[in-house]
Amino acid sequence: MKKMNKAEIQLLHNSIQAEAIEAMQKISEADSVWRCAYEKAPDELPPQEETEKLALLHHDFMTALTLLAVLEKTMPRNSTRESLLILSYEMFKLTCPNTFERFGCEDILKSVATLLDSIPTPEMLTAGSIDKSVHMIAKAAQYLPKIPIVPKEETPTAATVTVAKDKGKEVNINVGLHAAFAPIVPRLTVFDLSVMQAAASIYASGSKTFSTNQLYRVLTGADAHTRITSKATLEAVRKSLDTLQATIITIDAEQQAALGKYRRYDWNETTFKGYLLPMTKIETAYYSGNQLTAKCDCWRIIDTPPLLAYSKTIKQVATIPQKVKRLPRGVSATVNNICIRDTLLYYIQLNRDKGAKLNYSTLFEAAGVDTSDRISRHRMRKAVKALLQHWQEIGFIADQTDVIESSKNDTIYIS
């Protein structure tokens, strides 16, 4: 059991504080719904589902509040996360006897441990990566860069995205992007989608707190010992996070939910709305590693990203080993190369077991890269070939994959 230093205690405190604030807001919203139901029928009990939801949210809030109270006290020397778990359990039992009696010993311990596990150690923030990445392959994800982000002063409009056909008629979802606060970019980029995929992958791995450096590693597929090679890409990551945090997405999938093949899925809701990355920036965390003191920017994801929730509902989320995201030798960690890699992954996963066929112009347009001059076009093609060769070598795609080149058409066949 490794003892916690001041840096880790600060990181835990700031992360749990963000969690407590968000939990309080959710309680307020659920309480309003509960009271509204009670006022409509004062002689009847509000729906059991709403009552249970309110109780669970209160439980989550008290868990965060208890951990926060323990951390704000003077921690004993040589404290570990395990001892923090015990101290929190004892305080919960003392300060919330009714909740403790209702949920029981094991459940309280589990909820406290889950919250602690969602916060990585300072070392993981600077050097840690993940084993598997999630890749949202829903059509709505690829369509996002085509949708204008409406300024916060204007009424949001929705774009129609056709997702299927039923008896000859198109089945559509409506997707809108709205700026929560200004200033905001006019549209998302493919790189923004890549950053969102990387953050969603960290969230799906069980960790809700992450650093910009850690996100860079997940985004580029770098392991814990690979140094950050592109300051320009790291800065692009920071700007993208600001955009994703400030943009609200609304997905109305009512038509899709009513379609036969989708009806059997778990539709807890048919409208998915929220920030593209619902997160808050926590204070800069200081950490100690190899006897050196440094700092890193940290974020706390406070809810499931709406696009991830939608993609999971319609079962269009691919799980990809992190080694597949690793950029091979000769392919530098530039914004363009990352966009090309993730666009290729989209086509591969979308056509898994069927084979994909596309040409360079289609690929580069979908990736949003500029290949107007011969030098950049040659560089991008070289990156594509290196990625395909790398994926063949590690067994991610079949070795029959080929690129047929001619003066008129360059076609990529992916088995």
Side-chain angles (χ1 to χ4, degrees), residues 65-213:
L65 214 59
T66 302
L67 263 171
L68 204 57
V70 173
L71 286 164
E72 287 176 348
K73 288 188 173 185
T74 303
M75 296 293 295
R77 297 187 71 179
N78 301 323
S79 291
T80 64
R81 290 200 178 202
E82 287 76 8
S83 64
L84 179 59
L85 176 64
I86 295 169
L87 287 169
S88 301
Y89 169 79
E90 291 174 348
M91 179 172 281
F92 202 110
K93 184 177 181 180
L94 182 66
T95 57
C96 311
N98 292 336
T99 305
F100 184 91
E101 186 176 338
R102 174 176 177 179
F103 288 97
C105 164
E106 287 186 10
D107 189 76
I108 299 299
L109 280 171
K110 184 179 179 181
S111 63
V112 174
T114 299
L115 181 51
L116 285 173
D117 288 343
S118 74
I119 306 163
T121 63
E123 289 77 16
M124 287 172 65
L125 284 180
T126 56
S129 190
I130 57 177
D131 295 327
K132 294 180 180 179
S133 222
V134 298
H135 205 78
M136 294 172 270
I137 56 175
K139 191 173 182 180
Q142 298 303 307
Y143 202 84
L144 289 184
K146 300 178 183 178
I147 303 173
I149 300 176
V150 180
K152 69 172 187 174
E153 301 84 10
E154 298 180 15
T155 304
T157 55
T160 300
V161 182
T162 302
V163 293
K165 283 194 175 182
D166 182 37
K167 298 176 182 178
K169 292 184 178 180
E170 291 182 344
V171 176
N172 302 316
I173 61 171
N174 294 313
V175 185
L177 296 175
H178 189 222
F181 30 87
I184 196 70
V185 295
R187 291 176 189 269
L188 297 174
T189 65
V190 176
F191 185 72
D192 290 326
L193 299 188
S194 293
V195 172
M196 182 170 57
Q197 302 270 21
S201 297
I202 293 174
Y203 180 81
S205 73
S207 181
K208 293 184 179 180
T209 297
F210 65 89
S211 68
T212 308
N213 286 9

Side-chain angles (χ1 to χ4, degrees), residues 36-63:
C36 184
Y38 177 76
E39 287 169 4
K40 284 182 179 178
D43 296 330
E44 300 176 15
L45 289 173
Q48 184 178 357
E49 184 180 344
E50 292 174 6
T51 303
E52 288 180 355
K53 181 181 179 180
L54 188 60
L56 287 170
L57 286 171
H58 185 266
H59 171 262
D60 292 343
F61 174 66
M62 293 309 300
T63 300

Side-chain angles (χ1 to χ4, degrees), residues 24-39:
M24 188 67 242
Q25 290 174 346
K26 288 181 178 178
I27 287 175
S28 178
E29 292 169 4
D31 185 61
S32 296
V33 172
W34 190 91
R35 288 181 183 278
C36 184
Y38 177 76
E39 287 169 4

Side-chain angles (χ1 to χ4, degrees), residues 321-335:
Q322 190 63 9
K323 66 179 182 179
V324 173
K325 303 286 287 288
R326 195 166 301 150
L327 296 168
R329 187 180 297 275
V331 180
S332 55
T334 64
V335 169

Side-chain angles (χ1 to χ4, degrees), residues 222-234:
D223 58 29
H225 307 291
T226 305
R227 65 187 181 88
I228 292 175
T229 55
S230 174
K231 290 184 179 179
T233 301
L234 184 61

